[in-house]
Amino acid sequence: MKLIEALKQTKDLTRKADDIKALVKSHCAISSLETQKYLDQTKQVSIWIQAYCDVLKEILRLRIAIQKTNLETEVTIKIDEKNVTKSIAAWIHRRRDLAAFELQIWQVLSDRGIHEGFGKSPTGDPIEIKVNRFYSPAEKDKKMEVYISEPSIIDGKLEVVNAITDLIEN
């Protein structure tokens, strides 16, 4: 089974569990004025409960296999003209929020609203005001572009990897 198949199957099993839960909720009790919908409704409800538990076991099995596959499968992605190799799990974390966090640190670098030009000193004498930056604006621009692009680069690569990677189930 491919990784993408396991991901899709997990989603479908979750839907199936929700459907079974709805059946149990609808048929777990009736008033004395109602007629049973099933010949042995008690048995049917028990069958659904068991089916629900079985579906949850399968979801767990698949999730563990997906996690194992994500931890053990290395993927190389070209980021900022460099080939970077990480596990699928590490790339997922980069995609989820870590690339955005790195972008944020570069975004806070600014001139802090300081305007260059001439002003007056406390004594009233003219004084030249310059911005002293403790970072490189060129490096800031480059890094921001890298971290803005990184999530979509990761998405594209992981879509392919998920389609071709066999699920590790041991």
Side-chain angles (χ1 to χ4, degrees):
M1 173 183 293
K2 300 296 182 193
L3 190 51
I4 190 69
E5 292 172 308
L7 291 166
K8 299 282 185 186
Q9 188 173 354
T10 301
K11 188 180 241 181
D12 188 54
L13 286 169
T14 302
R15 179 208 48 81
K16 186 176 183 178
D18 288 341
D19 291 348
I20 293 169
K21 186 169 44 177
L23 286 169
V24 170
K25 182 178 179 180
S26 298
H27 297 92
C28 64
I30 59 173
S31 76
S32 59
L33 302 176
E34 295 176 275
T35 306
Q36 288 188 25
K37 194 166 189 176
Y38 297 93
L39 197 56
D40 186 347
Q41 198 148 329
T42 302
K43 183 177 179 183
Q44 185 59 56
V45 169
S46 291
I47 289 169
W48 286 329
I49 291 171
Q50 183 59 53
Y52 185 83
C53 293
D54 292 344
V55 168
L56 295 183
K57 285 177 189 174
E58 181 61 8
I59 289 171
L60 177 62
R61 184 189 72 76
L62 288 171
R63 283 183 181 176
I64 297 298
I66 290 166
Q67 286 180 331
K68 183 174 181 151
T69 304
N70 287 347
L71 287 168
E72 294 182 11
T73 304
E74 296 283 314
V75 175
T76 300
I77 299 178
K78 192 172 198 166
I79 303 287
D80 193 22
E81 302 302 317
K82 295 178 210 125
N83 287 326
V84 181
T85 302
K86 299 180 184 292
S87 68
I88 293 173
W91 285 120
I92 290 169
H93 287 288
R94 290 289 310 165
R95 171 62 183 98
R96 184 176 297 148
D97 56 12
L98 296 178
F101 289 161
E102 286 203 55
L103 173 62
Q104 290 169 7
I105 195 65
W106 290 97
Q107 288 174 324
V108 299
L109 295 172
S110 72
D111 291 346
R112 296 186 39 240
I114 300 168
H115 299 288
E116 292 187 319
F118 288 92
K120 291 186 178 183
S121 71
T123 61
D125 296 328
I127 187 168
E128 186 176 7
I129 301 170
K130 292 188 174 211
V131 176
N132 293 317
R133 292 177 191 89
F134 301 103
Y135 66 93
S136 162
E139 182 183 16
K140 173 190 174 184
D141 292 343
K142 183 178 182 212
K143 293 292 189 178
M144 285 183 55
E145 179 55 35
V146 167
Y147 296 124
I148 288 169
S149 298
E150 186 176 330
S152 62
I153 294 168
I154 293 168
D155 282 347
K157 184 67 173 190
L158 290 185
E159 283 179 20
V160 172
V161 168
N162 286 347
I164 62 172
T165 302
D166 289 318
L167 193 64
I168 299 171
E169 298 192 57
N170 296 340

